[in-house]
Amino acid sequence: MFETILMFVLAYLLGSLVPGYWLGKYVYHKDIRNEGSGNIGTTNAFRILGPVPGSIVLLLDMFKGTLAGLLPLFFHSSINPMLVGLAAILGHTFSIWIGFKGGKAVATSAGVLLAYNPIFFFMVWGVFLVILSLSSMVSVASMIGFSFATIMSIFYYHDPILAIVAVALTAFVFYRHRNNLSRIIHGQESTIPFGWYYYRHHKD
């Protein structure tokens, strides 16, 4: 019982790490919570700090999810990695370092999925990249990517815990992107300088 509690606490603490905020504050002397979208994750880090630090934030946010998902392996536990990884996702969303606030947990969730099943991860990642290359919107790619993961977990992978977690995370991601959805509907969503949609509307 003690080891189980310890795993969940460690996973939460790993998820609570905020590389986007720390990198912005201590290296670039910018608080990314006060600029752009105000998010501490990859997209806002790209937008405010640049592609290199944005990529670093992406990798670190994914890595902490993967590390959390691997804790059952390190502890020789039979607990489903998705459950332990869920604690890391909650940590990212409600971080102890920034007043129990946080990001949308897309990269951290992807990292947990990588620990759970690398093949499944690359399938979802492929869908994400295809949608991103067409829409130029990280929000659209994230929501469709999570939806794809949920469909696959229900109809292909026979793991009820994976399915339940996937449904819960997809609902959560849509909720966290509710403002993005409104902007998408009204044609006001921010795009990144990548993909068909962006270049179609920035030919000049």
Side-chain angles (χ1 to χ4, degrees):
M1 176 61 75
F2 173 76
E3 287 188 350
T4 300
I5 295 174
L6 180 60
M7 267 196 301
F8 279 94
V9 171
L10 287 175
Y12 172 80
L13 292 175
L14 281 169
S16 287
L17 300 176
V18 283
Y21 169 70
W22 288 334
L23 190 64
K25 182 175 182 179
Y26 297 112
V27 178
Y28 293 89
H29 308 293
K30 294 181 178 181
D31 188 341
I32 64 174
R33 298 175 302 173
N34 298 328
E35 299 187 46
S37 66
N39 195 273
I40 63 167
T42 300
T43 305
N44 204 39
F46 263 96
R47 184 180 295 117
I48 303 303
L49 306 179
V52 173
S55 298
I56 293 173
V57 172
L58 170 64
L59 292 175
L60 290 176
D61 278 346
M62 286 183 62
F63 178 71
K64 67 186 185 182
T66 301
L67 194 57
L70 290 174
L71 285 176
L73 179 64
F74 299 150
F75 279 81
H76 305 288
S77 171
S78 60
I79 293 178
N80 192 303
M82 294 301 296
L83 289 178
V84 180
L86 193 58
I89 294 166
L90 290 173
H92 179 86
T93 309
F94 306 104
S95 173
I96 60 173
W97 301 104
I98 50 175
F100 294 98
K101 297 179 180 179
K104 296 174 180 175
V106 173
T108 303
S109 299
V112 174
L113 185 59
L114 177 60
Y116 174 83
N117 188 319
I119 295 176
F120 191 15
F121 163 80
F122 283 111
M123 290 171 62
V124 175
W125 184 246
V127 170
F128 175 89
L129 290 178
V130 168
I131 299 303
L132 182 62
S133 68
L134 293 174
S135 70
S136 304
M137 302 178 196
V138 177
S139 56
V140 172
S142 298
M143 287 184 284
I144 292 179
F146 270 85
S147 298
F148 172 76
T150 296
I151 292 170
M152 289 294 293
S153 67
I154 293 173
F155 296 104
Y156 184 79
Y157 290 92
H158 304 291
D159 182 348
I161 293 179
L162 170 64
I164 292 170
V165 172
V167 169
L169 287 179
T170 300
F172 179 72
V173 165
F174 270 81
Y175 173 75
R176 294 286 284 183
H177 283 85
R178 60 193 185 280
N179 293 329
N180 302 80
L181 280 169
S182 176
R183 291 194 294 269
I184 291 168
I185 292 171
H186 293 92
Q188 301 171 344
E189 176 67 328
S190 299
T191 58
I192 61 172
F194 171 79
W196 175 82
Y197 183 88
Y198 178 85
Y199 289 109
R200 183 173 181 269
H201 290 80
H202 294 79
K203 290 181 180 179
D204 299 330

